[in-house]
Amino acid sequence: MDDQTTGGLKPCTLAAQALGAGEPMTRSLVPPVHVSTTYIRDADNGYRSGYVYGRTDNVSTQQAEAVIAALEGAEEAILFGSGMAAATSVFLALDKPTHIIASQVMYWGFRSWLSEIARYGHTISFVETSDLDAVQRAIRLGETGLIWIETPSNPLWTITDIAAIAEIAHASDALLCVDSTVATPVFTQPLALGADIVMHSASKYLNGHSDVIAGALATAGRTKLWDRINVVRGRHGAILGPFEAWLLMRGMRTLHIRVKTQSAAASILAHRLSEHPAIERVLYPGLNSHPGHDVAMRQMKDGFGAMLSLQFKAGEAAAIAAAGNVRLWKRATSLGGVESLIEHRSSIEGAGSPCPSDLLRLSVGLEDIDDLYADLLRALSHAG
Ligand SMILES: *Cc1c(COP(=O)(O)O)cnc(C)c1O
């Protein structure tokens, strides 16, 4: 930062000003996009600027990384070309065959990748990580090196107790990584709760506008694994490009106001829809009825996020019919943007998915809550 420090300033302030990233020559308020792939070497053969080649270093990418590190209270953050590239890099960086424990319920694409982790010499146990005893039982002393949890997790919004799992992990010399995509740094700070690494699909809330694919990792400290993750990113060419990083930084300037508004709307919709005769169950961590509500009350602040799921009394056909009759909500995969999305998850996850077939997943955007509710009510009248 040029002329301010992060000391004492609230995360919302740091994000709004992108840590003061401007450009010193023109004193531009908004930084340029640094597109150069290569940098000029000094006459004495050195690289005093610190920049050598775009596959390992880029100023625009580093500016966005600094914002994420500040929001997560991290020692360092690094950006990848997607959330999947970020998540897989952690595992590709493990230096010996490792037993991994991962949440049973989690983002489908990553669960599929992890289920084939034996290709890389590792073993995996998928465990219901909201059950602390089950996690404890799954630990293999001397073998378990990594616990990977997602909370709230797709698409049931299962809550895992980050602080409790961090204790279990550290008591057995394992590291804890948390996919905090849905919680965002606004509602949960996994590193402060004891996690070692936090991961985001920045394609979702961090960017917030459904126009960038990006992923982030942020670390509590510089460990051997972290250094290796940096090497993996450089060698595999997984760094985020400068245009995407610049857009992501622009998106993050409004992160706090977006997600707090979206979460408040999701909470209202969850309460209202709980009363609807066609709905069997609303899954939302902010509801008293949600099994993870008590833990969510402890580890989330200022909101429970803007994702909820509906289960239909009349089953799968009713869920699909309701999704087919929305006008304002968009039938699309993904989440975390300003436009509200609705999706029948089990159709996209396919055979073997733990997702119930009577479930629709809702990503609440920034439209007027009454417009969103009215559209759902009309669609639900087709739900049998
Ligand atoms: C979307 C998503 C991912 C994957 O991120 P991409 O940016 O699509 O690669 C991982 N975890 C969660 C929770 C997600 O929602």
Side-chain angles (χ1 to χ4, degrees):
M1 264 182 10
D2 289 347
D3 47 11
Q4 50 180 230
T5 65
T6 58
L9 295 173
K10 300 274 195 285
C12 167
T13 305
L14 302 175
Q17 298 199 352
L19 291 171
E23 189 274 307
M25 193 158 86
T26 60
R27 311 239 332 125
S28 70
L29 178 64
V30 175
V33 187
H34 289 265
V35 293
S36 190
T37 58
T38 192
Y39 303 84
I40 294 169
R41 202 185 260 275
D42 301 324
D44 64 2
N45 218 28
Y47 267 118
R48 259 171 226 94
S49 76
Y51 296 95
V52 177
Y53 185 55
R55 202 181 63 236
T56 44
D57 299 306
N58 177 276
V59 179
S60 298
T61 311
Q62 288 173 341
Q63 285 171 339
E65 289 168 347
V67 175
I68 294 170
L71 296 182
E72 287 292 1
E75 166 111 20
E76 190 173 276
I78 52 175
L79 280 164
F80 294 80
S82 68
M84 283 295 286
T88 54
S89 292
V90 175
F91 297 83
L92 298 175
L94 292 169
D95 65 0
K96 60 174 195 287
T98 302
H99 174 242
I100 296 148
I101 295 173
S103 293
Q104 178 75 39
V105 178
M106 68 151 92
Y107 176 73
W108 180 241
F110 191 49
R111 191 180 188 284
S112 303
W113 188 83
L114 280 177
S115 69
E116 295 176 3
I117 193 87
R119 296 163 65 92
Y120 301 93
H122 307 301
T123 48
I124 183 134
S125 306
F126 288 105
V127 174
E128 179 49 67
T129 50
S130 61
D131 178 348
L132 300 178
D133 293 336
V135 175
Q136 187 64 63
R137 279 197 304 275
I139 293 273
R140 297 182 200 159
L141 274 179
E143 284 178 51
T144 307
L146 191 61
I147 303 184
W148 181 278
I149 61 174
E150 180 179 318
T151 180
S153 72
N154 261 287
L156 308 179
W157 319 115
T158 311
I159 301 292
T160 293
D161 186 333
I162 298 170
I165 301 284
E167 269 187 37
I168 294 174
H170 296 156
S172 358
D173 276 337
L175 296 176
L176 173 63
C177 300
V178 180
D179 181 341
S180 195
T181 299
V182 171
T184 80
V186 178
F187 301 128
T188 307
Q189 299 213 285
L191 302 181
L193 293 167
D196 299 283
I197 293 177
V198 55
M199 173 258 162
H200 287 278
S201 167
S203 322
K204 314 295 170 51
Y205 292 101
L206 290 183
N207 179 60
H209 294 76
S210 304
D211 53 11
V212 170
I213 296 286
L217 296 175
T219 187
R222 288 209 179 83
T223 57
K224 235 175 77 197
L225 180 68
W226 185 257
D227 289 344
R228 188 67 202 167
I229 290 170
N230 269 285
V231 170
V232 166
R233 184 183 72 161
R235 299 223 177 120
H236 292 206
I239 195 173
L240 185 66
F243 283 111
E244 286 79 4
W246 189 92
L247 272 174
L248 170 60
M249 196 160 81
R250 184 171 72 166
M252 288 192 292
R253 291 173 188 268
T254 55
L255 173 69
H256 292 73
I257 192 165
R258 277 189 284 107
V259 299
K260 285 183 187 179
T261 307
Q262 288 167 268
S263 167
S267 173
I268 293 170
L269 287 174
H271 281 97
R272 287 187 190 169
L273 293 164
S274 299
E275 310 291 319
H276 196 281
I279 300 298
E280 175 70 27
R281 210 148 66 109
V282 177
L283 299 169
Y284 183 66
L287 294 176
N288 279 322
S289 60
H290 192 278
H293 182 67
D294 290 345
V295 177
M297 286 285 283
R298 262 188 281 131
Q299 80 183 15
M300 302 185 81
K301 61 172 168 49
D302 295 334
F304 298 98
M307 297 300 301
L308 63 143
S309 294
L310 309 177
Q311 288 186 267
F312 285 72
K313 281 187 184 151
E316 176 171 12
I320 292 173
N325 280 286
V326 290
R327 292 181 198 160
L328 191 58
W329 293 73
K330 304 298 174 212
R331 278 182 301 281
T333 197
S334 196
L335 56 104
V338 297
E339 289 167 312
S340 292
L341 305 182
I342 192 163
E343 187 180 32
H344 184 247
R345 276 306 297 172
S346 72
S347 322
I348 200 156
E349 296 190 4
S353 154
C355 177
S357 65
D358 63 353
L359 180 146
L360 291 184
R361 183 180 83 174
L362 278 63
S363 169
V364 179
L366 275 178
E367 305 90 337
D368 185 273
I369 172 91
D370 291 326
D371 289 341
L372 290 174
Y373 184 56
D375 192 45
L376 283 176
L377 280 188
R378 193 191 35 249
L380 286 174
S381 68
H382 296 268

